[in-house]
Amino acid sequence: MTPYEEALEALSSLITRRTRVGDVNLEERFNVLFEYVKMLDLEEAISNMKIIHVAGTKGKGSTCTFVESILRNCGFRTGLFTSPHLIDIRERFRLDGLEISEEKFLAYFWWCYDRLKEKTNDKVPMPPFFHFLALLAFKIFSAEQVDVSIMEVGLGGRYDATNVVRAPVVCGITSLGYDHMEILGNTLGEIAGEKAGIFKHRIPAFTVPQPDEAMLVLKEKASKLNVPLQVVNPIDAKLLNGSTLALEGEHQFTNAGLAVALCSMWLKITGHLQDTNLEQTQHTLPEPFIKGLATASLQGRAQIVPDQHINNEASSELVFFLDGAHSPESMEACARWFSLAIKGQDQTFFHQKLDNSKFSNEVAKMNMGETDHKGSTQILLFNCMSVRDPQLLLPQLMKTCADHVNSSKSVGKSHAREQRQDC
């Protein structure tokens, strides 16, 4: 095996074979995280990091990506931790908008893995897969001396591995819905309570408009911790001064609005809001904000990929529409985007520029009008892991698509396919 394959093999050994609920005590397993932090001498490093912490059901990855892009365009060195990855584990760790290099990944991976292997025992065993990745992210970002670390919660909030952060600069809660109910609870109130677990005493937090049941719990949790919680509305397209959001879909205006609020608060608390190039008028956002929102890149979110290998003379062209939707609510948003896209409304094709890491973060746009795609076969791929029920996802997808198309012929040309992917 190559050195990189050896690291992946070691990482795979941390994947637990237990079910997600089973006999796992989430609180006990979370508390052990602080032992790992001590073993890696990361206590002081984490306390000194200027962190933006984001939880939620839908839009976490998009919001974090917008935040990273905005602050990078403001001139800051950024670190972004997200999950899951699509192709390469290194996608989860971005430095200045680019996935970490293989060389750096290997150095930091073995630094953490070897120390934990040496210091853990039967009482405190090696951390499970995601816990290790979160610890690795803290090590990478502290060692690379980033100005800001944007940490996306993996699951829930209260017992998530990223929640070892004691004092983030600001917290965000994206749109809430029904997902991971076997862990987070059967009601929106219970789910909201778990997500609000990232709130810290007096640390400002933002959220987006939520269902009443969820909003009530968020406000109650915030009140108990003296958290100044503000609700942010979707961003007004007019503030973009003619630019468009890099991530497609109506729901991205909600994520963008939250990202702008998080960045503005981070800049204020860290003393950078008064920079002359960050002045905001009533009619437009600061130029670095606009550029950040217009150039953010996140693979697998409302991404359109034509098949470049098919013989167009022999058969019609295939066009793949990729989205990570995996809950009934996100399926509705996905279906709205897909329906508008296949009707040619504001459609943009995304092409990946492959580099040595197999996965480039640069995205080139090509106007739909420049290429004739008449007669193409459109295939939508979404996310349906083994723990989810396709019978809950497909009806919402089909209903929304049916509401947006004008004829059965249009429906017949579009084929839904489920994409099974384990995190």
Side-chain angles (χ1 to χ4, degrees):
M1 291 189 295
T2 66
Y4 189 61
E5 289 172 336
E6 290 178 357
L8 295 182
E9 184 77 10
L11 181 60
S12 296
S13 70
L14 303 179
I15 299 176
T16 58
R17 302 303 175 188
R18 296 179 290 189
T19 60
R20 285 190 170 184
V21 184
D23 59 352
V24 176
N25 186 311
L26 296 178
E27 183 175 7
E28 288 182 5
R29 194 166 72 172
F30 173 76
N31 289 332
V32 175
L33 273 163
F34 296 97
E35 296 297 320
Y36 299 136
V37 170
K38 291 179 181 178
M39 292 176 185
L40 296 174
D41 297 319
L42 287 175
E43 291 175 294
E44 183 177 356
I46 293 176
S47 66
N48 290 332
M49 294 170 71
K50 295 179 174 60
I51 294 171
I52 296 175
H53 200 190
V54 179
T57 305
K58 301 167 292 181
K60 297 190 302 293
S62 298
T63 298
C64 288
T65 299
F66 278 137
V67 167
E68 186 281 327
S69 186
I70 290 172
L71 293 179
R72 173 161 42 86
N73 279 281
C74 287
F76 297 100
R77 180 158 169 73
T78 61
L80 172 62
F81 176 64
T82 59
S83 63
H85 62 277
L86 293 181
I87 299 175
D88 194 307
I89 194 73
R90 293 179 291 117
E91 297 165 31
R92 298 177 184 238
F93 313 93
R94 288 196 194 185
L95 295 170
D96 293 326
L98 300 176
E99 65 185 46
I100 189 171
S101 68
E102 188 173 305
E103 180 182 6
K104 285 187 175 182
F105 176 84
L106 288 175
Y108 291 126
F109 175 87
W110 288 117
W111 190 96
C112 292
Y113 189 89
D114 289 343
R115 278 160 180 74
L116 289 172
K117 200 71 175 177
E118 177 185 349
K119 297 181 179 182
T120 52
N121 50 48
D122 291 338
K123 185 176 180 180
V124 183
M126 286 289 285
F129 181 78
F130 184 79
H131 287 201
F132 179 87
L133 294 180
L135 294 165
L136 178 57
F138 288 120
K139 173 60 182 177
I140 291 172
F141 297 157
S142 61
E144 291 292 320
Q145 298 181 320
V146 300
D147 298 313
V148 56
S149 299
I150 302 104
M151 305 294 294
E152 177 193 352
V153 166
L155 174 62
R158 180 165 55 142
Y159 297 132
D160 187 74
T162 60
N163 206 29
V164 295
V165 177
R166 303 285 189 146
V169 174
V170 60
C171 297
I173 305 290
T174 64
S175 299
L176 298 179
Y178 293 98
D179 197 19
H180 301 295
M181 296 164 64
E182 74 280 7
I183 297 176
L184 305 180
N186 294 316
T187 68
L188 276 182
E190 291 174 332
I191 293 171
E194 292 297 317
K195 306 291 185 180
I198 69 169
F199 288 166
K200 303 298 186 299
H201 185 64
R202 293 186 180 277
I203 300 296
F206 294 90
T207 190
V208 299
Q210 306 281 6
D212 291 342
E213 180 183 357
M215 187 64 76
L216 179 62
V217 173
L218 292 180
K219 290 182 177 180
E220 287 178 349
K221 297 289 185 181
S223 178
K224 290 180 180 178
L225 292 171
N226 291 316
V227 169
L229 176 65
Q230 297 182 53
V231 179
V232 182
N233 290 319
I235 193 172
D236 188 338
K238 295 178 181 178
L239 295 177
L240 298 175
N241 198 25
S243 296
T244 58
L245 295 180
L247 305 182
E248 299 286 325
E250 299 172 13
H251 56 288
Q252 294 296 357
F253 286 91
T254 297
N255 298 328
L258 179 58
V260 167
L262 291 170
C263 290
S264 298
M265 182 58 70
W266 187 90
L267 290 166
K268 178 181 179 180
I269 293 177
T270 57
H272 297 286
L273 192 59
Q274 301 306 315
D275 292 356
T276 55
N277 66 331
L278 297 179
E279 293 181 356
Q280 177 176 351
T281 69
Q282 185 178 0
H283 304 291
T284 184
L285 290 170
E287 188 58 34
F289 278 54
I290 295 176
K291 186 175 181 181
L293 293 171
T295 60
S297 171
L298 184 60
Q299 305 289 348
R301 303 298 196 281
Q303 184 179 3
I304 306 173
V305 181
D307 189 328
Q308 300 178 5
H309 302 288
I310 195 169
N311 185 345
N312 290 326
E313 295 180 0
S315 59
S316 62
E317 182 177 359
L318 289 176
V319 181
F320 296 95
F321 295 75
L322 315 179
D323 194 78
H326 56 266
S327 69
E329 296 88 355
S330 60
M331 286 302 298
E332 181 179 359
C334 171
R336 287 199 303 268
W337 160 71
F338 177 58
S339 298
L340 292 174
I342 63 176
K343 289 167 65 177
Q345 297 181 11
D346 299 323
Q347 183 165 332
T348 304
F349 281 101
F350 288 77
H351 294 280
Q352 295 170 206
K353 292 182 178 179
L354 300 181
D355 57 13
N356 292 334
S357 66
K358 296 191 263 183
F359 209 72
S360 172
N361 292 294
E362 294 187 17
V363 177
K365 291 187 176 181
M366 181 176 69
N367 191 289
M368 175 62 175
E370 296 176 2
T371 306
D372 183 10
H373 289 281
K374 293 180 179 179
S376 64
T377 299
Q378 298 107 354
I379 299 177
L380 172 65
L381 294 101
F382 59 93
N383 189 344
C384 185
M385 296 186 294
S386 57
V387 296
R388 296 187 172 91
D389 185 359
Q391 296 186 42
L392 294 178
L393 301 183
L394 285 171
Q396 188 64 62
L397 171 67
M398 299 307 294
K399 180 181 182 302
T400 305
C401 285
D403 290 342
H404 280 76
V405 294
N406 296 321
S407 68
S408 58
K409 180 179 179 180
S410 297
V411 179
K413 288 177 61 179
S414 304
H415 308 282
R417 296 288 187 269
E418 68 181 32
Q419 178 187 40
R420 296 190 179 277
Q421 173 187 325
D422 293 321
C423 296

